[in-house]
Amino acid sequence: MNSKLLRILWSAVSETPPHLLINFDDIALSHHLLTCIESRMHMSNEESTEMHSYIASRTPLIRDLAYS
């Protein structure tokens, strides 16, 4: 996964209202963030799959950031 995608992801996390990050279930959270990324940069199917796995593995961290 390239660094540009990671920057876009964490930018999308910081720009999303915290109450949405907290209230979305895991699937909706992943879908929302993937949609945000895809609106800024085209991803191949492989990149999309990798990003989905990355988001799934970071969901607790994303929610912790939203709480703080």
Side-chain angles (χ1 to χ4, degrees), residues 3-68:
S3 61
K4 185 173 183 178
L5 282 174
L6 290 174
R7 282 193 299 271
I8 293 171
L9 167 66
W10 290 106
S11 176
V13 169
S14 69
E15 292 169 1
T16 301
H19 72 277
L20 292 179
L21 297 174
I22 293 167
N23 292 325
F24 280 147
D25 62 25
D26 291 351
I27 294 169
L29 176 62
S30 180
H31 178 74
H32 169 75
L33 293 172
L34 284 171
T35 301
C36 289
I37 295 166
E38 289 171 346
S39 73
R40 298 179 191 184
M41 179 179 174
H42 174 74
M43 289 191 291
S44 68
N45 288 339
E46 182 180 313
E47 288 173 323
S48 183
T49 301
E50 285 180 30
M51 185 57 72
H52 177 75
S53 295
Y54 182 83
I55 292 169
S57 71
R58 301 302 191 274
T59 299
L61 174 61
I62 292 168
R63 292 194 198 285
D64 284 346
L65 289 171
Y67 280 114
S68 61

